[in-house]
Amino acid sequence: MDNQKSLSEIEKLKSILQSNSLPANLQEKAFQQIERISLTLKYGGNLSQLDITTKYIDWITNFPWFKKTEDILDIKRAKEILDKNHHGLEKIKKRILEYIASLILQKQQEKTQRIIHHAPIILFVGLAGTGKTTFALSIAEVLGKKFVRIPFGGLSSALDLRGQSKTSPEAEPGMIIKAIRRANSLNPVILLDELDRVTPEARSAIMGVLIELLDPGQNSSFIDYFIDYPVNLSQVLFVATANNTNNISTAVLDRLEIIQMPSYTDEEKIVIAKNYILPRLLKDTGLNMENIKIEDNIWYKIVRPLGFDPGIRSVERKIEEIVRKISYKIVSGQGRTFVINDNSLREYI
């Protein structure tokens, strides 16, 4: 019965392969693998190989081999989005706009002269909460690209990026292939987040994979050990972040354009909290500006941390706490409008 079920499963895999558009030689390779499994099972082979092959067929047939998003190349729109998403940081925004402008010129040249350019890879360096990730998100929004994040914090093996071979019991694709499948696009923005926080034991191996990923001469045929077929990453726009560059190899840094993120002053934090964070949190919660009134002198008490904090995460957490408590009061029928002043601040924070 099990054998009959397995043969039926093999027919199903063949049908899935035939109904999906894949690179021709990959499809042929997958059919050969199915035939080998079929022969193995006829002579009492191991069913675990069928499970791995099923998983493999699922990955290659759901991978976006031919899918891309159309880039939006509009410098005026880019400026509007950066101003909407980020207060101040004019030098950083100018750098990003120059970067977008160079991409626009490259794309125009590609259309007319068929010259393939490779965008510089930006590395945002700065302390926690200084806006590194949100700038990466803004780049994706500006260009109309899908956005995927790969966290490097605590990454302990190059195989996490590169994938595990089908001969391994833990066989699965690496984080790069998973990110592209999640984006369902061959040209997303992939954020390589916290490059400096990989484990010391695996650092040299991971940096070796990064050199290949970030090198235009090599990433057009990236091999994931599970997929075992060259994947063209040349259209992926990589953006990276780090708290500092001490733990990033020189060879990797040579391939990156570093943008240093400044810390925020208290005055900047107040503007960001009032005009960006509070309206966003209210919208996410289903409230509006009529429900919460924060007196001007209170903002300094909200943004002033107990210790040095260069970013705005602690400010965001405090405002989240206020919004959460007011949401509870509204839902439990204690009123619709709440004023936060010197007398009531302790109740909310």
Side-chain angles (χ1 to χ4, degrees):
M1 180 66 182
D2 276 349
N3 198 38
Q4 197 61 39
K5 191 177 172 186
S6 301
L7 292 171
S8 153
E9 187 70 27
I10 282 167
E11 289 308 314
K12 199 178 1 171
L13 290 179
K14 286 180 182 176
S15 170
I16 290 168
L17 259 185
Q18 280 168 336
S19 60
N20 278 274
S21 182
L22 296 174
N25 44 355
L26 175 62
Q27 194 164 40
E28 192 181 320
K29 186 177 167 182
F31 271 121
Q32 287 170 0
Q33 188 171 322
I34 291 172
E35 289 301 334
R36 279 199 303 274
I37 294 294
S38 179
L39 281 170
T40 308
L41 290 171
K42 277 180 186 172
Y43 296 102
N46 191 342
L47 278 173
S48 66
Q49 282 304 307
L50 177 59
D51 293 339
I52 289 173
T53 303
T54 303
K55 187 178 182 180
Y56 178 72
I57 301 300
D58 172 65
W59 270 95
I60 63 171
T61 54
N62 285 289
F63 190 80
W65 297 103
F66 307 108
K67 288 184 186 174
K68 288 191 295 183
T69 54
E70 194 63 40
D71 288 346
I72 299 170
L73 302 170
D74 181 340
I75 199 74
K76 185 167 174 280
R77 178 178 175 273
K79 187 175 188 317
E80 286 168 3
I81 288 171
L82 289 175
D83 287 339
K84 175 191 72 154
N85 292 350
H86 307 275
H87 166 71
L89 302 174
E90 295 308 322
K91 283 185 180 175
I92 308 289
K93 287 196 275 198
K94 191 180 175 195
R95 286 280 296 277
I96 301 296
L97 286 171
E98 288 165 357
Y99 171 73
I100 303 293
S102 71
L103 285 180
I104 291 171
L105 290 173
Q106 286 173 12
K107 291 288 178 188
Q108 287 169 350
Q109 228 179 351
E110 282 173 25
K111 283 179 185 173
T112 57
Q113 299 175 32
R114 305 210 176 279
I115 298 169
I116 302 299
H117 292 276
H118 297 281
I121 296 152
I122 288 177
L123 169 65
F124 290 108
V125 178
L127 298 169
T130 50
K132 302 184 294 294
T133 304
T134 49
F135 261 109
L137 273 162
S138 290
I139 290 171
E141 186 183 347
V142 160
L143 295 169
K145 289 179 177 287
K146 301 290 181 65
F147 176 86
V148 208
R149 173 181 168 266
I150 296 178
F152 276 67
L155 202 64
S156 59
S157 167
L159 294 177
D160 292 338
L161 289 175
R162 178 76 83 177
Q164 299 265 13
S165 163
K166 292 192 293 296
T167 57
S168 160
E170 297 88 27
E172 66 170 358
M175 294 165 94
I176 302 297
I177 296 299
K178 286 178 179 176
I180 293 175
R181 177 168 162 176
R182 272 204 314 278
N184 198 28
S185 163
L186 266 187
N187 62 340
V189 170
I190 293 184
L191 174 63
L192 308 172
D193 205 16
E194 300 185 315
L195 287 192
D196 55 325
R197 291 194 53 207
V198 299
T199 59
E201 314 80 63
R203 188 174 296 138
S204 60
I206 288 170
M207 292 297 153
V209 177
L210 275 175
I211 288 167
E212 183 182 339
L213 274 180
L214 306 177
D215 188 327
Q218 298 181 62
N219 70 8
S220 57
S221 53
F222 176 77
I223 298 283
D224 178 277
Y225 292 153
F226 181 80
I227 299 295
D228 193 24
Y229 184 84
V231 176
N232 185 355
L233 301 179
S234 64
Q235 296 173 79
V236 172
L237 196 59
F238 288 106
V239 179
T241 72
N243 289 330
N244 60 66
T245 58
N246 299 345
N247 295 328
I248 303 173
S249 76
T250 310
V252 170
L253 285 176
D254 283 347
R255 289 160 171 79
L256 301 169
E257 186 177 316
I258 296 172
I259 294 182
Q260 192 74 44
M261 301 295 291
S263 302
Y264 291 104
T265 64
D266 281 356
E267 287 70 25
E268 285 171 328
K269 287 181 187 177
I270 288 170
V271 174
I272 293 166
K274 282 170 85 168
N275 299 341
Y276 294 81
I277 297 172
L278 180 60
R280 174 172 56 78
L281 290 174
L282 288 174
K283 187 181 175 188
D284 291 348
T285 319
L287 301 179
N288 58 53
M289 298 299 278
E290 295 303 310
N291 299 121
I292 299 179
K293 308 281 187 191
I294 300 177
E295 291 187 355
D296 284 345
N297 66 310
I298 297 302
W299 285 106
Y300 277 99
K301 296 179 181 179
I302 291 172
V303 304
R304 170 54 59 189
L306 296 171
F308 174 69
D309 180 8
I312 54 169
R313 286 204 188 131
S314 61
V315 176
E316 190 163 2
R317 280 195 291 271
K318 285 180 184 177
I319 297 170
E320 270 179 353
E321 190 179 353
I322 293 169
V323 170
R324 201 168 53 241
K325 288 181 177 174
I326 284 174
S327 299
Y328 173 76
K329 283 175 177 284
I330 290 171
V331 170
S332 56
Q334 296 178 45
R336 295 294 303 171
T337 299
F338 296 87
V339 177
I340 297 166
N341 52 31
D342 280 323
N343 297 327
S344 62
L345 181 62
R346 287 179 70 85
E347 188 184 339
Y348 297 101
I349 294 180

